[in-house]
Amino acid sequence: MALDLFSAVNLGSISLKNRMVMAPLTRNRAAEGGVPQPMNVTYYEQRASAGLIITEATPISVMAHGYPALPGIYTDAQVAGWKKVTDAVHAKGGKIVIQLWHVGRISHPTLLPNGALPVAPSAVKPAGQAFTYQGLVDYVEPRALDANELPAIVADYVHAAQSALAAGFDGVEIHAANGYLIDQFLRDGSNKRTDNYGGSFENRARFLMEVTKAVVDVAGADKVGIRISPVNPFNDMHDSNPQALFNYVTSALNQFNLAYLHTIEGDMSGQDNSFDFVAMRQLFKGSYMANLGYDKARGNAAIASGHADVIAYGVPFIANPDLVERYRTNAPLNEADSSTFYGGTEKGYTDYPFLSA
Ligand code: PHB
């Protein structure tokens, strides 16, 4: 029988009962101290029929924060809060990995300890505004990291990965996409360095490779995935040659035998035809997770053609906790309410109806 979205699959050591993955989605509903709270447990538990859940992007340290009400994965209280999430998902037969996040320049002194400046590969201020507790405020020029500060950030990723394993996650996803710290090193619109972390593809990918090696060393490669977004301009990102850069990155990641490579195949607002994602994917020897604008038909087609092993769905999982069952039975989908995506209460979070309701 041909493979489709409902076929089981293994990503590294993680066994999935189907190939529908819940994409990482920022929801800004953690309690004080970045601690997951009961409504977060309910939200993830409701979506445990996904083959795999990837949590919302989760800061690895106090300096990794860039938005209000994010959960963290670096304190004991956060680990205890996440343990309730992973226990609830596992009790429903689901699998869940946590996305490890450092925002770099996409932050603001009011969100950082002692009003610190955000850090970045280079002192390049992004266009746009930060979401702060005081509302939208222009981004500031970040402080360029000295190369001798990078090992401490790598150590923060390691500590976060260890915390994730202690919290019962099935693995971790390293967030190297969407204009946050690792992506700021990768793309030359934000990386103007002249040391061995800037310039060549090898140099710009060095920080990603160092983080990946360190996380793989503590978690095991079969529990580690990576997310990239080669052409997403979100967060004022651009690169002079994305195809060559991400072909290089994809090939270089083969050395690790990762659980998966997860790719946002275009601009978050739509598909991008300027980049050959099929060619990039063919350079990767492991499992491939495709994301962006897929529906049931396109997801099945991508799996049948061998382009993708699994498909990550974002907004459809916000509005449809039972998206797998709805796709399986060709049932209508609930509409997502974008006014409740970021922050707030249970409304627009845990109150979307199931088919059975
Ligand atoms: C967001 O909070 O808007 C956000 C977070 C992480 C992403 C993309 C967007 O990767």
Side-chain angles (χ1 to χ4, degrees), residues 6 17 31 34 64 70 72 98 109 125 137 166 177 190 194 226 262 309 327:
F6 311 106
K17 61 197 171 205
L70 300 173
I98 189 167
K125 180 170 104 125
V137 186
S190 46
T194 54
I226 294 192
H262 179 185
D309 297 285
Y327 273 8

Side-chain angles (χ1 to χ4, degrees), residues 177-198:
N178 294 344
Y180 298 107
L181 182 63
I182 294 174
D183 198 24
Q184 289 159 28
F185 273 91
L186 291 175
R187 293 197 254 177
D188 60 14
S190 46
N191 183 342
K192 308 293 182 191
R193 298 178 75 96
T194 54
D195 63 2
N196 57 4
Y197 290 89

Side-chain angles (χ1 to χ4, degrees), residues 99-135:
Q99 197 192 45
L100 302 181
W101 196 22
H102 192 309
V103 299
R105 68 181 185 169
I106 303 300
S107 189
H108 190 269
T110 60
L111 294 163
L112 297 173
N114 308 313
L117 280 178
V119 295
S122 302
V124 180
K125 180 170 104 125
Q129 296 188 302
F131 292 85
T132 73
Y133 287 100
Q134 290 78 38

Side-chain angles (χ1 to χ4, degrees), residues 11-14 52 54 96-100 157-158 160-162 164-165 169-176 182 208-227 253 256-262 284 286-289:
L11 299 179
S13 68
I14 313 167
L52 177 67
I54 304 168
I96 182 167
V97 301
I98 189 167
Q99 197 192 45
L100 302 181
Y157 277 95
V158 168
Q162 289 167 327
L165 297 175
F169 284 101
D170 297 292
V172 300
E173 178 175 286
I174 296 169
H175 193 343
I182 294 174
L208 169 61
M209 299 303 156
E210 290 176 350
V211 168
T212 304
K213 175 161 192 328
V215 170
V216 160
D217 283 347
V218 296
D222 58 1
K223 290 190 169 64
V224 178
I226 294 192
R227 193 180 208 211
L253 289 173
F256 297 110
N257 286 311
L258 297 171
Y260 65 85
L261 177 66
H262 179 185
F284 189 65
S287 297
Y288 184 81
M289 183 183 296

Side-chain angles (χ1 to χ4, degrees), residues 26 28 57 67 99 101 175 177-178 180 227 234-235 268 342:
T26 293
N28 311 82
Y67 301 85
Q99 197 192 45
W101 196 22
H175 193 343
N178 294 344
Y180 298 107
R227 193 180 208 211
F234 182 65
N235 285 327
M268 260 155 35
Y342 302 111

